[in-house]
Amino acid sequence: MLLYKLRFAWWNTGLSPASNKAETKATPETSKRNYDHIVRLFLDYECDFLALCEVSEEDVTYIKNNLDLENVGVASLVDNIPRTRFDVCVMYNAKKIKIQEHTNLIKPYMGSRIKSGQVLHIENIDDKEVFRIYLCHWSSRMQDSGSENRKFAAQHIYDSIQSYFIENGIKEVVVMGDFNDNPYDESLMKTLRASRCLDSVKKHPIDLLYNPFWKTVVSSIEYSHSNSSGKFSSGTYNYQTKEGVRWHSFDQIILSGCFLGHSKWHLNESNTTVIDDCEFKMDFDKKDCHIDHMPVIAEILRV
Amino acid sequence: MFDFSDSLSDGKDKADELLSLKEGFNSVFSTLQENLSSFIERDVKLEHYHEVEGGDLSPFMAATVQIGMLYGNNKDIKKRTGYFEVRLTEKGSDNPYKVLFKYKESSNVYPINIVFQRNEMVCSNQVELIDVMKEIVSSGHFNLRIREFVDALNK
């Protein structure tokens, strides 16, 4: 059987944080490492669609002009809104994918603006199948209102997906982002209803979404006396919380139940994971490097 | 034994609440209409048209779809999207100007989605709706549309 695949990836590059208060630690030397990794995501990991966050218009221009990638389109989704900005750009395999106009989803709250996400439709050129993609970079944990804001954003995305399903029936929807919450946090588990239970999502594909990144919450390295001095990373981000957790799965790709046997497109979980190869880990561990998130990738197959 | 008195009473309260929300929602647009009339010194009104799939309609088609004359009877008529397009018209004229912004109401009035330019903003109550409308009408793009409308009237 001939299988056709599409690979979606997300990476918080750390090049240009969205907040005016946050200063980038990126330097020309360390930024070069970002660009090398972006190229690797296309060449080594065969990404067809890559969303990058914490980028500015200048970063996008640099990527457009300097990255030597054939047949890869680049589109800026960077947009200013009061007091913050959307900080995402997308790169895509132009031989396989066409992208359409995007919309910014914004929730006004107490006089400020919550960035719920950005939505765009992409078309698989081969069969004209349209996928609805949500790109999310939710409020930071550094903000006092962050937790509430993330719940509002999750509700906004969930309502938008429900509205899309009401009009079109169950469809292929991908929600990817740096959510600044783990899969077990309220915003993702209760509000967005991104479940870890395959059987449940298969049975309730309209009400629930499937989150394959639950698996990344614990380390894939199992402890034993022989590796007792090793490191046990899990997830995409390293940050010590007062609850005693150091590793977090903030970056995730969540899919609609449509990919679980309700269309010809199927999630392929064996190629859906955190990209934490030695090249990324090397930069991640460097004190003077601004790279502080690992990318995530998800593969879907048309059967 | 059972009866439905309490349920009916609950329903009455909810109906009152819905009417109150709808009244508050309408008052935002009627105030905007009054303010626009004063701002451009013309008697204008905001018209709300069902948006249909497939883009901008001619004023005749917009009006036809609005009153439902052809809806369901003609295969060429496209599906409604659920959004209302808000267009500006001079009172007494049946020639609505292009879309200023769009909105979609929920069955309980709120949340309401307002679409302007590339932004879709979801408002949970009247305070948020007013906040969003202030942001829209204070934008340069909205004011350029008003200017075009006035220019077209003066021609």
Side-chain angles (χ1 to χ4, degrees):
Chain A
M1 190 190 300
L2 192 62
L3 299 175
Y4 176 92
K5 71 171 191 294
L6 284 177
R7 286 184 166 180
F8 296 87
W10 167 274
W11 187 30
N12 181 338
T13 63
L15 282 168
S16 305
S19 164
N20 297 333
K21 291 173 194 161
E23 280 184 28
T24 181
K25 293 180 209 145
T27 63
E29 293 75 38
T30 57
S31 296
K32 190 185 172 307
R33 291 298 295 156
N34 274 92
Y35 301 127
D36 292 343
H37 287 308
I38 292 168
V39 171
R40 282 196 326 112
L41 287 169
F42 277 94
L43 300 184
D44 298 351
Y45 288 93
E46 299 178 342
C47 281
D48 296 302
F49 180 89
L50 169 65
L52 303 169
C53 93
E54 293 203 356
V55 294
S56 63
E57 285 291 5
E58 290 73 30
D59 299 324
V60 179
T61 304
Y62 185 90
I63 288 168
K64 277 181 184 165
N65 295 338
N66 295 287
L67 261 56
D68 191 18
L69 284 167
E70 215 175 323
N71 297 314
V72 172
V74 183
S76 171
L77 276 58
V78 173
D79 239 332
N80 287 319
I81 59 168
R83 287 189 281 281
T84 184
R85 66 184 180 90
F86 287 96
D87 60 349
V88 174
C89 84
V90 296
M91 300 176 71
Y92 55 97
N93 179 346
K95 277 184 142 180
K96 290 171 83 174
I97 284 174
K98 275 200 276 193
I99 69 162
Q100 299 169 3
E101 287 287 292
H102 74 277
T103 304
N104 303 324
L105 302 181
I106 300 165
K107 165 75 188 152
Y109 181 62
M110 307 273 278
S112 68
R113 299 288 180 267
I114 298 167
K115 294 180 295 177
S116 303
Q118 292 173 292
V119 58
L120 86 160
H121 290 98
I122 65 167
E123 183 187 311
N124 179 47
I125 293 167
D126 183 62
D127 61 1
K128 301 208 177 332
E129 188 73 55
V130 173
F131 300 91
R132 188 171 170 96
I133 315 286
Y134 290 86
L135 305 163
C136 305
H137 186 196
W138 288 354
S139 295
S140 159
R141 293 200 159 211
M142 306 299 171
Q143 295 174 19
D144 292 340
S145 56
S147 173
E148 279 302 297
N149 289 356
R150 291 191 294 276
K151 278 184 249 173
F152 279 126
Q155 190 64 55
H156 194 173
I157 300 290
Y158 185 78
D159 291 344
S160 171
I161 294 170
Q162 288 302 304
S163 174
Y164 183 59
F165 285 168
I166 287 167
E167 282 163 28
N168 301 283
I170 176 169
K171 295 289 286 180
E172 290 87 356
V173 171
V174 178
V175 185
M176 56 168 75
D178 170 3
F179 300 98
N180 272 305
D181 264 339
N182 281 297
Y184 48 80
D185 283 316
E186 191 177 337
S187 63
L188 289 164
M189 192 173 73
K190 290 190 177 162
T191 314
L192 190 62
R193 298 181 204 182
S195 171
R196 66 186 164 81
C197 181
L198 278 164
D199 281 343
S200 234
V201 182
K202 281 174 73 165
K203 195 171 176 190
H204 304 285
I206 291 180
D207 303 316
L208 300 174
L209 302 171
Y210 180 60
N211 187 356
F213 284 82
W214 265 94
K215 292 185 175 77
T216 68
V217 167
V218 294
S219 179
S220 57
I221 310 160
E222 290 178 338
Y223 179 86
S224 74
H225 69 280
S226 60
N227 65 1
S228 58
S229 58
K231 285 191 173 177
F232 298 87
S233 63
S234 60
T236 60
Y237 187 67
N238 188 316
Y239 152 74
Q240 179 72 58
T241 63
K242 54 180 186 278
E243 293 84 21
V245 179
R246 185 176 283 277
W247 283 98
H248 303 272
S249 295
F250 287 169
D251 304 271
Q252 299 154 59
I253 301 175
I254 295 163
L255 300 104
S256 66
C258 197
F259 292 103
L260 305 180
H262 293 273
S263 87
K264 61 192 173 191
W265 292 92
H266 294 261
L267 168 66
N268 185 21
E269 279 202 284
S270 58
N271 286 333
T272 297
T273 187
V274 176
I275 299 177
D276 55 358
D277 63 26
C278 55
E279 293 265 333
F280 272 108
K281 273 186 173 160
M282 196 171 71
D283 286 330
F284 191 87
D285 289 339
K286 275 186 192 162
K287 288 271 186 291
D288 60 346
C289 189
H290 66 277
I291 293 174
D292 57 356
H293 284 255
M294 304 282 194
V296 286
I297 190 166
E299 182 179 275
I300 55 165
L301 295 174
R302 187 181 64 202
V303 180
Chain B
M1 276 298 289
F2 63 90
D3 70 42
F4 297 106
S5 307
D6 289 347
S7 306
L8 283 166
S9 179
D10 285 349
K12 182 187 170 296
D13 292 346
K14 283 175 190 160
D16 290 343
E17 192 188 340
L18 274 178
L19 286 174
S20 161
L21 288 173
K22 188 69 188 170
E23 200 177 312
F25 168 74
N26 289 339
S27 75
V28 174
F29 288 103
S30 57
T31 304
L32 177 60
Q33 183 175 296
E34 279 170 30
N35 293 163
L36 276 168
S37 290
S38 310
F39 184 67
I40 60 178
E41 297 173 341
R42 305 289 280 254
D43 210 2
V44 294
K45 60 179 176 176
L46 292 170
E47 301 266 32
H48 303 233
Y49 293 97
H50 285 287
E51 184 192 50
V52 294
E53 282 178 356
D56 214 9
L57 292 174
S58 67
F60 168 73
M61 284 295 287
T64 310
V65 170
Q66 174 68 9
I67 59 175
M69 273 172 62
L70 295 175
Y71 195 71
N73 299 325
N74 189 325
K75 284 176 189 165
D76 296 331
I77 295 295
K78 291 173 181 170
K79 212 171 84 177
R80 288 176 180 174
T81 64
Y83 278 90
F84 281 92
E85 296 173 337
V86 177
R87 294 162 184 258
L88 199 55
T89 318
E90 188 171 32
K91 272 187 185 163
S93 159
D94 51 3
N95 196 14
Y97 180 65
K98 68 183 177 187
V99 180
L100 290 177
F101 58 87
K102 303 190 299 183
Y103 71 88
K104 188 180 197 174
E105 261 181 84
S106 303
S107 54
N108 293 328
V109 184
Y110 293 100
I112 289 169
N113 281 19
I114 307 278
V115 178
F116 180 68
Q117 305 280 95
R118 277 189 175 158
N119 296 336
E120 181 173 327
M121 292 162 276
V122 61
C123 308
S124 305
N125 51 50
Q126 195 198 35
V127 173
E128 290 178 5
L129 178 63
I130 293 166
D131 184 23
V132 163
M133 291 313 303
K134 278 184 179 173
E135 183 182 321
I136 290 173
V137 301
S138 65
S139 81
H141 292 288
F142 185 86
N143 272 263
L144 282 175
R145 289 182 196 183
I146 301 299
R147 217 176 274 183
E148 279 176 28
F149 172 75
V150 174
D151 288 348
L153 288 181
N154 290 336
K155 269 183 190 165

